[in-house]
């Protein structure tokens, strides 16, 4: 399993489903935990339908082994992100209308409005995360890559099972967040947020599956354990914020645009395009990109959040 820099206690995340209708209780738990876990929030059948449509795309691009099944697909050998074949496959995943439709699921929208308020901006940049066997996601903060307002919430929605050995999601539990964490470049070429050994404990959300939803604050530090199973694990990530706060223009484009085509091409043939609507008046800001990834935390302003406690004056 991946080795996290933090050596604190690991605790199982608490189910927030019983307080889903209580905005004050949801905000208190988000402030304390940096996350909210909802078991069975979405109909499992809808996620099974999404998985089937994604599986069809993956098979068409020869991304899956012949001996796999739709419930727990097995990836073909030597298939990894970043190759030319991967980009063609990924843009076809982005064409799946149901993936964008589920970002507007009433069950998720009710939770987001309870926390963020009724004036909601549903980011149209939606991400498909595929966790291959042997793959993990290092500790990171979404705010570094999303920017705009710090108070962006991500709905992490698995469409395959995520058992304890299959890439469990972790979130750092902190009394207050330090702002934007420094990044360290890894030998693999990726980066991870620096987390000291005394900076809190890790919430762990094992045995997640289709229908469950984890809500994550953009300043919370999150990671995904190594996928020790032979199966491909997958989740979609939807992001939301108050429409009254700033948003980066990139958050309204497809994920990985312009390597992935724009909406005019991706949404061709959809039954509806209302999944792509955004409020008429939103304040857009530029995305800040440093010369070196290790200096990103120095380039970004120290964040001010109305949902989490942020340490003042720390870099």
């Amino acid at each position: 399993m991946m080795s996290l820099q933090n050596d604190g206690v690991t605790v199982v995340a608490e189910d927030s489903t019983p307080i889903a209708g209580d905005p004050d209780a949801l905000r208190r738990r988000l402030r304390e935990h940096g996350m909210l876990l909802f078991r069975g929030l979405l109909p499992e059948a809808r996620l099974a339908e999404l998985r089937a449509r994604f599986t069809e795309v993956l098979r068409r691009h020869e991304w899956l082994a012949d001996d796999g099944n739709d419930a727990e697909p097995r990836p073909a050998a030597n298939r990894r992100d970043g190759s030319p074949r991967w980009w063609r496959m990924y843009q076809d995943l982005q064409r799946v209308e149901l993936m964008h439709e589920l970002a507007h699921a009433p069950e998720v929208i009710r939770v987001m409005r309870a926390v963020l308020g009724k004036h909601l901006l549903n980011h149209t940049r939606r991400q498909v995360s595929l966790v291959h066997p042997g793959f993990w996601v290092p500790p990171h903060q979404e705010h570094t890559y999303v920017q705009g307002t710090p108070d962006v919430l991500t709905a992490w929605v698995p469409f395959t099972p995520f058992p304890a050995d299959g890439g469990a999601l972790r979130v750092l539990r902190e009394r207050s967040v330090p702002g934007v964490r420094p990044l360290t470049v890894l030998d693999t070429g990726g980066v991870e947020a620096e987390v000291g050994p005394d900076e809190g404990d890790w919430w762990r959300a094992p045995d997640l599956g289709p229908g469950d939803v984890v809500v994550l604050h953009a300043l919370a530090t999150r990671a995904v354990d190594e996928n020790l199973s032979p199966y491909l694990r997958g989740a979609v990530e939807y992001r939301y914020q108050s429409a009254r706060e700033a948003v980066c223009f990139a958050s309204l484009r497809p994920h990985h645009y312009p390597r992935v085509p724009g909406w005019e091409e991706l949404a061709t043939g959809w039954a509806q395009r209302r999944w792509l609507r955004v409020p008429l008046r939103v304040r857009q800001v530029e995305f800040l990109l440093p010369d070196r990834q290790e200096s990103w935390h120095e380039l970004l302003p120290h964040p001010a959040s109305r949902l989490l406690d942020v340490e003042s004056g720390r870099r």
Side-chain angles (χ1 to χ4, degrees):
M1 191 168 292
M2 67 171 284
S3 175
L4 297 172
Q5 292 181 343
N6 179 278
D7 297 323
V9 176
T10 299
V11 292
V12 176
E14 188 174 358
D15 186 1
S16 295
T17 307
I19 61 170
D22 186 337
D24 291 337
L26 289 174
R27 293 191 192 104
R28 280 195 302 271
R29 183 165 295 175
L30 181 68
R31 187 176 296 274
E32 294 169 1
H33 298 180
M35 65 169 289
L36 302 168
L37 166 62
F38 299 94
R39 296 284 188 183
L41 183 67
L42 291 171
E44 186 176 348
R46 294 290 276 163
L47 275 302
E49 183 182 356
L50 179 64
R51 183 177 62 244
R53 297 191 187 183
F54 280 167
T55 300
E56 180 184 352
V57 172
L58 294 169
R59 290 197 187 284
R60 188 167 69 246
H61 287 272
E62 300 180 338
W63 214 258
L64 299 180
D66 293 336
D67 60 349
N69 62 73
D70 287 355
E72 289 195 297
R74 295 168 62 98
N78 301 319
R79 295 289 188 267
R80 289 294 185 271
D81 293 5
S83 68
R85 295 181 67 177
W86 184 88
W87 286 107
R88 292 192 292 271
M89 176 271 293
Y90 191 75
Q91 73 179 37
D92 281 351
L93 292 178
Q94 286 287 327
R95 295 179 198 274
V96 175
E97 182 180 358
L98 179 58
M99 190 262 283
H100 300 274
E101 177 185 346
L102 287 175
H104 292 261
E107 301 89 343
V108 176
I109 297 300
R110 278 196 294 269
V111 168
M112 294 301 174
R113 283 190 170 140
V115 178
L116 293 167
K118 65 180 181 178
H119 299 287
L120 199 65
L121 171 57
N122 189 331
H123 289 199
T124 53
R125 180 173 63 181
R126 294 156 188 150
Q127 181 174 345
V128 185
S129 295
L130 301 176
V131 185
H132 290 78
F135 184 79
W136 67 90
V137 179
H140 67 286
Q141 295 168 297
E142 289 292 296
H143 178 60
T144 306
Y145 310 104
V146 176
Q147 300 183 29
T149 174
D151 287 329
V152 172
L153 299 183
T154 296
W156 193 87
V157 183
F159 56 85
T160 71
F162 272 82
D165 67 345
L169 180 68
R170 292 179 183 248
V171 181
L172 190 64
R173 180 176 64 172
E174 308 170 88
R175 294 180 63 88
S176 60
V177 298
V180 182
R181 291 184 178 275
L183 297 176
T184 299
V185 177
L186 304 174
D187 293 339
T188 59
V191 293
E192 70 175 357
E194 296 179 8
V195 181
D198 58 349
E199 291 200 58
D201 304 326
W202 288 95
W203 290 108
R204 191 162 181 258
D207 299 320
L208 294 175
D212 297 332
V213 176
V214 182
V215 175
L216 304 153
H217 192 279
L219 290 174
T221 301
R222 55 182 269 196
V224 175
D225 286 341
E226 182 179 355
N227 178 10
L228 299 176
S229 79
Y231 302 107
L232 186 68
R233 307 299 180 183
V236 288
E237 300 185 29
Y238 303 135
R239 296 182 179 91
Y240 308 82
Q241 67 172 80
S242 168
R244 294 176 172 174
E245 296 178 332
V247 61
C248 282
F249 181 67
S251 293
L252 308 180
R253 292 292 192 183
H255 186 231
H256 284 313
Y257 179 85
R259 289 293 298 270
V260 167
W263 294 125
E264 286 302 314
E265 180 175 339
L266 290 181
T268 299
W270 285 10
Q272 299 188 57
R273 294 200 178 192
R274 65 186 183 93
W275 325 122
L276 305 177
R277 291 177 189 164
V278 297
L280 290 176
R281 296 180 180 178
V282 292
R283 182 163 59 92
Q284 298 183 22
V285 294
E286 293 185 5
F287 185 84
L288 301 179
L289 187 65
D291 295 330
R292 297 168 53 252
Q293 294 189 80
E294 300 96 317
S295 63
W296 222 331
H297 67 292
E298 299 173 351
L299 180 65
L300 293 175
H302 190 71
S305 170
R306 61 188 175 90
L307 298 177
L308 295 188
D309 295 321
V310 181
E311 296 178 17
S312 60
R314 177 172 168 178
R315 276 291 184 187

Short mmCIF file of all heavy atoms in Angstrom, two decimals, residues 199-228:
data_model
loop_
_atom_site.label_atom_id
_atom_site.label_comp_id
_atom_site.label_asym_id
_atom_site.label_seq_id
_atom_site.Cartn_x
_atom_site.Cartn_y
_atom_site.Cartn_z
N GLU A 199 0.77 16.48 11.51
CA GLU A 199 -0.23 17.42 10.97
C GLU A 199 -1.65 16.86 10.95
O GLU A 199 -2.50 17.37 10.23
CB GLU A 199 0.19 17.86 9.57
CG GLU A 199 1.41 18.75 9.57
CD GLU A 199 1.53 19.56 8.29
OE1 GLU A 199 0.60 20.32 7.97
OE2 GLU A 199 2.55 19.42 7.60
N GLY A 200 -1.91 15.81 11.70
CA GLY A 200 -3.28 15.30 11.75
C GLY A 200 -3.32 13.81 11.47
O GLY A 200 -2.30 13.15 11.26
N ASP A 201 -4.52 13.27 11.47
CA ASP A 201 -4.75 11.86 11.17
C ASP A 201 -5.42 11.74 9.81
O ASP A 201 -5.94 12.72 9.28
CB ASP A 201 -5.67 11.23 12.24
CG ASP A 201 -5.11 11.41 13.64
OD1 ASP A 201 -3.88 11.39 13.79
OD2 ASP A 201 -5.92 11.57 14.58
N TRP A 202 -5.39 10.54 9.27
CA TRP A 202 -6.02 10.30 7.96
C TRP A 202 -7.37 9.65 8.14
O TRP A 202 -7.49 8.59 8.75
CB TRP A 202 -5.13 9.40 7.10
CG TRP A 202 -3.90 10.08 6.58
CD1 TRP A 202 -2.66 10.06 7.13
CD2 TRP A 202 -3.81 10.88 5.41
NE1 TRP A 202 -1.79 10.81 6.38
CE2 TRP A 202 -2.46 11.33 5.31
CE3 TRP A 202 -4.72 11.27 4.42
CZ2 TRP A 202 -2.02 12.13 4.26
CZ3 TRP A 202 -4.27 12.08 3.39
CH2 TRP A 202 -2.94 12.51 3.31
N TRP A 203 -8.41 10.30 7.61
CA TRP A 203 -9.68 9.61 7.43
C TRP A 203 -9.52 8.63 6.28
O TRP A 203 -8.94 8.96 5.25
CB TRP A 203 -10.79 10.61 7.06
CG TRP A 203 -11.23 11.54 8.13
CD1 TRP A 203 -10.99 12.87 8.21
CD2 TRP A 203 -12.00 11.20 9.27
NE1 TRP A 203 -11.56 13.40 9.34
CE2 TRP A 203 -12.19 12.40 10.01
CE3 TRP A 203 -12.55 10.02 9.76
CZ2 TRP A 203 -12.91 12.43 11.20
CZ3 TRP A 203 -13.27 10.05 10.95
CH2 TRP A 203 -13.44 11.25 11.65
N ARG A 204 -10.04 7.43 6.42
CA ARG A 204 -9.98 6.45 5.35
C ARG A 204 -11.40 6.01 5.04
O ARG A 204 -12.19 5.73 5.95
CB ARG A 204 -9.13 5.25 5.77
CG ARG A 204 -8.80 4.28 4.63
CD ARG A 204 -7.63 3.41 5.06
NE ARG A 204 -7.24 2.48 4.00
CZ ARG A 204 -7.56 1.19 4.00
NH1 ARG A 204 -8.29 0.69 4.98
NH2 ARG A 204 -7.16 0.41 3.03
N ALA A 205 -11.73 5.95 3.75
CA ALA A 205 -13.08 5.58 3.32
C ALA A 205 -13.00 4.26 2.53
O ALA A 205 -12.99 4.28 1.30
CB ALA A 205 -13.70 6.68 2.48
N PRO A 206 -12.91 3.12 3.23
CA PRO A 206 -12.82 1.84 2.52
C PRO A 206 -14.18 1.35 2.09
O PRO A 206 -15.23 1.82 2.55
CB PRO A 206 -12.21 0.91 3.58
CG PRO A 206 -12.76 1.45 4.86
CD PRO A 206 -12.87 2.95 4.69
N ASP A 207 -14.16 0.38 1.18
CA ASP A 207 -15.38 -0.31 0.75
C ASP A 207 -16.42 0.64 0.19
O ASP A 207 -17.62 0.49 0.42
CB ASP A 207 -15.97 -1.13 1.91
CG ASP A 207 -14.99 -2.19 2.40
OD1 ASP A 207 -14.33 -2.81 1.54
OD2 ASP A 207 -14.89 -2.39 3.61
N LEU A 208 -15.95 1.64 -0.56
CA LEU A 208 -16.89 2.49 -1.28
C LEU A 208 -17.35 1.77 -2.53
O LEU A 208 -16.64 0.93 -3.10
CB LEU A 208 -16.24 3.82 -1.66
CG LEU A 208 -15.85 4.75 -0.51
CD1 LEU A 208 -15.11 5.95 -1.06
CD2 LEU A 208 -17.09 5.19 0.26
N GLY A 209 -18.55 2.10 -2.99
CA GLY A 209 -19.06 1.48 -4.20
C GLY A 209 -20.06 2.36 -4.90
O GLY A 209 -20.38 3.47 -4.42
N PRO A 210 -20.56 1.92 -6.04
CA PRO A 210 -21.53 2.71 -6.80
C PRO A 210 -22.73 3.09 -5.94
O PRO A 210 -23.34 2.25 -5.29
CB PRO A 210 -21.93 1.75 -7.93
CG PRO A 210 -20.73 0.86 -8.11
CD PRO A 210 -20.20 0.66 -6.73
N GLY A 211 -23.05 4.38 -5.95
CA GLY A 211 -24.13 4.92 -5.13
C GLY A 211 -23.61 5.77 -3.98
O GLY A 211 -24.28 6.68 -3.52
N ASP A 212 -22.39 5.45 -3.49
CA ASP A 212 -21.78 6.26 -2.44
C ASP A 212 -21.20 7.54 -3.04
O ASP A 212 -20.79 7.57 -4.20
CB ASP A 212 -20.65 5.48 -1.75
CG ASP A 212 -21.15 4.22 -1.05
OD1 ASP A 212 -22.32 4.20 -0.64
OD2 ASP A 212 -20.36 3.26 -0.91
N VAL A 213 -21.14 8.59 -2.23
CA VAL A 213 -20.59 9.87 -2.67
C VAL A 213 -19.74 10.44 -1.53
O VAL A 213 -20.19 10.48 -0.37
CB VAL A 213 -21.70 10.88 -3.04
CG1 VAL A 213 -21.10 12.25 -3.39
CG2 VAL A 213 -22.53 10.36 -4.21
N VAL A 214 -18.53 10.87 -1.85
CA VAL A 214 -17.67 11.57 -0.89
C VAL A 214 -17.53 13.01 -1.36
O VAL A 214 -17.19 13.27 -2.50
CB VAL A 214 -16.29 10.92 -0.78
CG1 VAL A 214 -15.45 11.64 0.27
CG2 VAL A 214 -16.41 9.43 -0.42
N VAL A 215 -17.82 13.95 -0.46
CA VAL A 215 -17.70 15.38 -0.75
C VAL A 215 -16.41 15.89 -0.10
O VAL A 215 -16.21 15.71 1.10
CB VAL A 215 -18.92 16.16 -0.24
CG1 VAL A 215 -18.72 17.67 -0.44
CG2 VAL A 215 -20.18 15.69 -0.95
N LEU A 216 -15.55 16.51 -0.89
CA LEU A 216 -14.23 16.94 -0.44
C LEU A 216 -14.05 18.44 -0.65
O LEU A 216 -14.34 18.95 -1.74
CB LEU A 216 -13.14 16.20 -1.23
CG LEU A 216 -13.20 14.67 -1.19
CD1 LEU A 216 -12.57 14.08 -2.44
CD2 LEU A 216 -12.49 14.16 0.04
N HIS A 217 -13.55 19.14 0.35
CA HIS A 217 -13.23 20.55 0.19
C HIS A 217 -11.93 20.67 -0.58
O HIS A 217 -11.01 19.86 -0.43
CB HIS A 217 -13.11 21.22 1.56
CG HIS A 217 -13.06 22.72 1.48
ND1 HIS A 217 -11.90 23.41 1.17
CD2 HIS A 217 -14.03 23.67 1.65
CE1 HIS A 217 -12.15 24.71 1.17
NE2 HIS A 217 -13.43 24.89 1.45
N ALA A 218 -11.79 21.73 -1.40
CA ALA A 218 -10.63 21.88 -2.27
C ALA A 218 -9.33 22.11 -1.51
O ALA A 218 -8.24 21.86 -2.05
CB ALA A 218 -10.86 23.04 -3.25
N LEU A 219 -9.40 22.57 -0.26
CA LEU A 219 -8.20 22.76 0.54
C LEU A 219 -7.84 21.54 1.37
O LEU A 219 -6.75 21.48 1.96
CB LEU A 219 -8.35 23.97 1.47
CG LEU A 219 -8.36 25.34 0.78
CD1 LEU A 219 -8.66 26.44 1.80
CD2 LEU A 219 -7.03 25.62 0.08
N ALA A 220 -8.73 20.57 1.45
CA ALA A 220 -8.43 19.34 2.18
C ALA A 220 -7.37 18.54 1.41
O ALA A 220 -7.39 18.49 0.18
CB ALA A 220 -9.69 18.51 2.37
N THR A 221 -6.47 17.93 2.15
CA THR A 221 -5.43 17.10 1.53
C THR A 221 -5.97 15.68 1.39
O THR A 221 -6.41 15.08 2.36
CB THR A 221 -4.15 17.10 2.38
OG1 THR A 221 -3.69 18.45 2.50
CG2 THR A 221 -3.07 16.25 1.74
N ARG A 222 -5.93 15.16 0.17
CA ARG A 222 -6.51 13.85 -0.12
C ARG A 222 -5.50 12.99 -0.85
O ARG A 222 -4.52 13.47 -1.42
CB ARG A 222 -7.77 14.00 -0.99
CG ARG A 222 -7.52 14.77 -2.25
CD ARG A 222 -8.76 14.98 -3.08
NE ARG A 222 -8.93 13.91 -4.06
CZ ARG A 222 -9.74 13.98 -5.12
NH1 ARG A 222 -10.45 15.07 -5.32
NH2 ARG A 222 -9.85 12.99 -5.96
N ALA A 223 -5.72 11.69 -0.81
CA ALA A 223 -4.85 10.72 -1.48
C ALA A 223 -5.67 9.47 -1.76
O ALA A 223 -6.77 9.29 -1.23
CB ALA A 223 -3.64 10.39 -0.61
N VAL A 224 -5.14 8.62 -2.63
CA VAL A 224 -5.76 7.32 -2.90
C VAL A 224 -4.67 6.25 -2.73
O VAL A 224 -3.59 6.36 -3.32
CB VAL A 224 -6.35 7.25 -4.32
CG1 VAL A 224 -6.88 5.85 -4.62
CG2 VAL A 224 -7.47 8.28 -4.48
N ASP A 225 -4.96 5.25 -1.88
CA ASP A 225 -4.01 4.17 -1.66
C ASP A 225 -3.74 3.40 -2.95
O ASP A 225 -4.56 3.43 -3.89
CB ASP A 225 -4.57 3.18 -0.63
CG ASP A 225 -4.53 3.73 0.79
OD1 ASP A 225 -3.77 4.68 1.04
OD2 ASP A 225 -5.27 3.19 1.65
N GLU A 226 -2.64 2.68 -2.97
CA GLU A 226 -2.31 1.85 -4.12
C GLU A 226 -3.39 0.80 -4.36
O GLU A 226 -3.89 0.16 -3.42
CB GLU A 226 -0.97 1.15 -3.90
CG GLU A 226 -0.53 0.30 -5.09
CD GLU A 226 0.81 -0.36 -4.87
OE1 GLU A 226 1.45 -0.07 -3.82
OE2 GLU A 226 1.22 -1.15 -5.72
N ASN A 227 -3.77 0.64 -5.61
CA ASN A 227 -4.74 -0.38 -6.01
C ASN A 227 -4.01 -1.72 -6.09
O ASN A 227 -3.28 -1.99 -7.04
CB ASN A 227 -5.36 -0.01 -7.35
CG ASN A 227 -6.35 -1.06 -7.85
OD1 ASN A 227 -6.72 -1.97 -7.13
ND2 ASN A 227 -6.79 -0.91 -9.09
N LEU A 228 -4.18 -2.56 -5.07
CA LEU A 228 -3.51 -3.85 -5.01
C LEU A 228 -4.29 -4.96 -5.68
O LEU A 228 -3.84 -6.11 -5.70
CB LEU A 228 -3.24 -4.22 -3.53
CG LEU A 228 -2.35 -3.24 -2.76
CD1 LEU A 228 -2.24 -3.65 -1.30
CD2 LEU A 228 -0.98 -3.14 -3.41
#
